[in-house]
Amino acid sequence: MHRVFSRSRPTPSYRRSSSFRSRQRKVIFSGIQPTGVPHLGNYLGALVNWVHLQKASQPDDQLIYSVVGLHAITLPQDPAQLRQEKRAAMATLLAIGIDPTRSILFHQDEVSEHAELAWILGCLAPLGRLNRMTTYKAKISTGKTDERLGLFSYPVLQAADILLYKATHVPVGEDQRQHLELTRDLAQAFNQQFRAETFHLPQDIITPSKRIFSLRDSSQKMSKSAADPKSRIGLTDTADEIALKIRKAITDSSHEIVWDPKDRPGVSNLLTILHACTTDPALDTSATAEFRNTSLVDFKSRVAEAVESRVAPIRSEFHRLNSDEGYIQSVSRNGAERARSIASRTLQEVKSRIGLEAI
């Protein structure tokens, strides 16, 4: 039987066909790498949407959220630090509002079926397609990363993460759309080669999100890997730390508060943060009239207050949860058991299709 690997059609947008108004049962999967406590950019750009999806879901929908440790080791890691960061990532997800009784929350590396399905899918994935992955090329182009198989093939592991639970929907940002297209194509290739509708072709969920930039270089996304810790706001930063980082945020020589991402990126980034953190729906990102007579110092103070208001409950809950080691372990263990019960059935079906079932 020859291999079939065709391009799938573009996935529809969230508003058109991924809306929660539809009553098709949804299985939603998403993951985050264990890089310790996420920063404000992670939260406003992705994690807050996990909570929104949980709130918007119906009782028969299934939400599966994972701390993806196997992805983390595509780059060198200190073992002791990785253990701490896995726990911190789990505590943060609980602190922001992920409910382990409503969503399956687990560590990917504790469910071995992920790695096994990744190998099977890797036997279908064309090298040329993986070589064109923009995220891989971007990391290699920096010269700071060796060309290793794990980094090259991690989009296949990502596909396995999604398909192992027969996900129907995946919340993605623009930088991950290419990976979801690969996931759909691998699912389609498997279904066609083995003449069975084993996998769904997962759709993207394009949810409203904010792209938050570095406080020190507004041409770069806020990132934990940035050398300057003042470039980012951690979800466990204190009120004083937040105020200091916002006060030191690089803007420009003009003191006028204007929304102009092209010519005033630093101020525009602070406006984005303010809009994302405020509870006032009337405060639009580009609505700057109310700041006409506001000094830059006072404006930054208001941004810091809004961030602290949003972060303080998360910070408090994180510290409470992180001190309860037994609870974190219980959530992780229970989540892994629930995930494994689904993953093992899917892998058994896949192995049976390809002729590797137990005899």
Side-chain angles (χ1 to χ4, degrees):
M1 213 179 308
H2 66 280
R3 186 182 327 186
V4 178
F5 201 97
S6 61
R7 294 281 297 176
S8 58
R9 292 173 294 176
T11 55
S13 72
Y14 177 71
R15 288 190 176 90
R16 286 200 303 272
S17 63
S18 299
S19 168
F20 278 79
R21 290 191 295 268
S22 169
R23 274 319 313 134
Q24 173 196 2
R25 178 179 182 269
K26 294 175 176 65
V27 179
I28 299 171
F29 180 91
S30 195
I32 183 173
Q33 289 198 34
T35 55
V37 178
H39 54 67
L40 189 67
N42 299 139
Y43 175 64
L44 298 177
L47 297 181
V48 70
N49 290 321
W50 291 17
V51 180
H52 292 161
L53 289 170
Q54 180 178 260
K55 290 178 179 177
S57 65
Q58 298 298 317
D60 60 337
D61 294 332
Q62 191 168 57
L63 295 95
I64 305 169
Y65 296 137
S66 181
V67 178
V68 290
L70 295 178
H71 287 283
I73 63 172
T74 58
L75 297 175
Q77 300 286 339
D78 174 78
Q81 183 176 350
L82 181 58
R83 292 186 191 98
Q84 292 178 356
E85 294 189 338
K86 282 181 56 182
R87 176 176 168 178
M90 180 66 69
T92 303
L93 293 178
L94 291 168
I96 66 171
I98 300 300
D99 181 354
T101 66
R102 180 67 192 91
S103 302
I104 297 177
L105 182 59
F106 73 106
H107 287 289
Q108 169 213 38
D109 56 277
E110 296 177 3
V111 180
S112 60
E113 286 84 355
H114 284 260
E116 195 166 354
L117 182 59
W119 175 259
I120 293 170
L121 295 177
C123 294
L124 296 175
L127 288 176
R129 183 75 179 280
L130 294 177
N131 202 42
R132 292 193 296 273
M133 288 290 166
T134 55
T135 50
Y136 170 74
K137 291 194 293 184
K139 289 183 179 180
I140 293 300
S141 67
T142 65
K144 299 178 181 178
T145 303
D146 294 334
E147 296 188 39
R148 299 183 180 181
L149 178 59
L151 184 61
F152 180 76
S153 63
Y154 91 93
V156 179
L157 175 58
Q158 192 174 57
D161 296 337
I162 296 166
L163 298 179
L164 194 57
Y165 301 96
K166 299 193 176 186
T168 62
H169 295 78
V170 181
V172 295
E174 289 297 326
D175 58 342
Q176 291 294 320
R177 278 193 166 192
Q178 189 183 34
H179 290 179
L180 186 60
E181 288 177 4
L182 176 67
T183 300
R184 288 170 56 85
D185 289 346
L186 287 172
Q188 188 173 58
F190 186 95
N191 290 347
Q192 291 182 2
Q193 180 168 335
F194 297 104
R195 296 191 175 97
E197 293 301 313
T198 302
F199 298 119
H200 299 291
L201 304 188
Q203 299 178 25
D204 57 358
I205 299 178
I206 306 300
T207 52
S209 62
K210 302 295 182 182
R211 194 176 187 194
I212 307 300
F213 293 92
S214 165
L215 298 177
R216 308 299 293 172
D217 180 0
S218 51
S219 68
Q220 303 293 323
K221 287 177 65 176
M222 187 175 284
S223 171
K224 189 180 179 183
S225 62
D228 190 347
K230 293 192 293 295
S231 68
R232 58 188 173 271
I233 295 173
L235 293 184
T236 55
D237 282 358
T238 65
D240 288 342
E241 288 171 333
I242 291 170
L244 177 63
K245 290 177 179 181
I246 296 293
R247 189 164 63 249
K248 296 291 186 180
I250 293 176
T251 51
D252 49 55
S253 59
S254 174
H255 292 281
E256 187 179 6
I257 312 303
V258 175
W259 170 257
D260 186 350
K262 181 179 179 181
D263 295 326
R264 306 287 307 284
V267 169
S268 297
N269 187 42
L270 293 179
L271 281 166
T272 299
I273 292 172
L274 177 61
H275 175 239
C277 290
T278 187
T279 56
D280 181 3
L283 181 60
D284 185 73
T285 307
S286 57
T288 58
E290 65 175 291
F291 302 117
R292 187 172 295 130
N293 298 316
T294 303
S295 69
L296 186 59
V297 171
D298 289 341
F299 169 67
K300 285 185 172 182
S301 177
R302 179 164 176 186
V303 175
E305 290 171 1
V307 173
E308 167 62 11
S309 178
R310 189 68 177 266
V311 167
I314 298 173
R315 180 178 61 229
S316 176
E317 184 67 358
F318 172 85
H319 289 308
R320 185 187 72 80
L321 290 165
N322 203 40
S323 65
D324 191 344
E325 184 174 355
Y327 178 69
I328 297 291
Q329 290 177 344
S330 174
V331 169
S332 300
R333 183 168 53 251
N334 182 62
E337 289 174 357
R338 293 171 65 194
R340 195 177 300 113
S341 68
I342 302 169
S344 60
R345 291 196 300 270
T346 300
L347 187 63
Q348 183 178 11
E349 179 184 350
V350 167
K351 293 175 76 170
S352 177
R353 294 292 181 190
I354 66 179
L356 291 180
E357 72 270 31
I359 57 175

